[in-house]
Amino acid sequence: MVGSGLSNGGEELMAINPNIPKTVNAGEPVTAEGWNVIVNGIIALTNYLNSTEASSLQVSLTNVGLALASARVTATRGDGVIFQAVAPVAPANTFVFSGLAPGPYTLRAEAPGFDAATKSITSPSAEAVPLTLTPNGAFMPAVFGAPLQAALQQLKNANIAVSRIIDVAGRDVAPANPGADNDNSPVLAQIPAAGLPVAPDGNAQLVIATSLQVQSSVEIPSLAGLTLAEAQKALEGLGLALGKVVTKQKAS
């Protein structure tokens, strides 16, 4: 077997060019020459795999919460070539590099709302390499179901501004002055979702239930058979005013 140089990401790798030995028919003995070709081929293949086989590397991120879905992990080789890890699919939480040749790398992890984290490693690694990200801003609290007044106070404590509030009927409610009628209206939706970062120049939006408008009502008694004056007096006793009166004459 003969090796020749191939390029793989800037590295010179050995290619396999096998010598085709003489074939034999069933029952014929294998000559010493043929056997040596087989042995030498296995040795060359083993050397090739040992020198070119890429390794996998796993990286686990901690302290990222829901931001894991938007995180990015890269590995930079000494010559500046950058490799990007495959993101995890729930419920897994580790990023995977498949195809890293053995050697030193600089890992970098970044996610919205966090400072980037870096670490120098040597691949391969028998265990997942941990990286911890540090938050650099506010994160949206869970305000679903909370009364509006309590939700606004919670967001204020977290230094998160509210840019818009609407009720389920589509009416806008002033965030700075939602009114007493809306104080106890529960929050039905929030943007962004709980646990996600809020940019320093970003804002939150809320959807609340429609406030109940209670109107007083009075049961009107039957006025049939009363004179106009008697009917008017009965209505005034209930706090009602008599409206337009239409008089019709009986047909003779």
Side-chain angles (χ1 to χ4, degrees):
M1 304 179 74
V2 180
S4 62
L6 292 178
S7 175
N8 181 14
E11 296 181 352
E12 291 297 322
L13 304 179
M14 177 183 292
I16 298 178
N17 297 316
N19 294 321
I20 306 302
K22 179 181 178 298
T23 59
V24 297
N25 297 321
E28 292 182 4
V30 178
T31 64
E33 179 184 4
W35 178 254
N36 289 336
V37 169
I38 294 173
V39 172
N40 291 334
I42 294 174
I43 294 174
L45 179 60
T46 301
N47 292 336
Y48 174 81
L49 293 176
N50 287 337
S51 63
T52 62
E53 178 67 11
S55 61
S56 64
L57 178 70
Q58 296 186 3
V59 178
S60 62
L61 299 186
T62 58
N63 200 37
V64 292
L66 294 179
L68 181 70
S70 55
R72 180 173 181 264
V73 179
T74 59
T76 304
R77 202 167 55 188
D79 58 3
V81 177
I82 299 176
F83 302 87
Q84 183 167 338
V86 177
V89 177
N93 59 3
T94 56
F95 291 75
V96 178
F97 292 96
S98 58
L100 286 184
Y105 293 86
T106 299
L107 296 178
R108 178 182 175 88
E110 49 194 351
F114 294 84
D115 292 326
T118 60
K119 178 181 288 188
S120 298
I121 58 98
T122 299
S123 179
S125 174
E127 298 180 353
V129 179
L131 282 176
T132 301
L133 299 183
T134 303
N136 60 15
F139 286 78
M140 186 71 176
V143 295
F144 174 79
L148 177 60
Q149 193 61 35
L152 291 176
Q153 186 61 49
Q154 192 173 355
L155 292 171
K156 181 179 179 180
N157 294 341
N159 294 319
I160 298 175
V162 178
S163 61
R164 189 181 186 191
I165 302 173
I166 61 172
D167 63 20
V168 290
R171 296 186 291 259
D172 276 282
V173 176
N177 184 25
D181 292 342
N182 295 306
D183 283 350
N184 293 318
S185 296
V187 176
L188 302 180
Q190 61 179 72
I191 302 173
L196 291 181
V198 180
D201 57 347
N203 298 293
Q205 300 181 48
L206 304 176
V207 178
I208 62 173
T210 304
S211 60
L212 296 177
Q213 302 293 332
V214 179
Q215 295 182 348
S216 59
S217 61
V218 177
E219 184 178 354
I220 299 177
S222 174
L223 304 176
L226 300 180
T227 64
L228 180 60
E230 291 173 337
Q232 183 175 3
K233 185 176 181 180
L235 293 174
E236 290 176 350
L238 296 173
L240 302 175
L242 182 64
K244 183 179 181 182
V245 178
V246 177
T247 305
K248 292 186 178 181
Q249 294 182 346
K250 287 184 178 182
S252 55

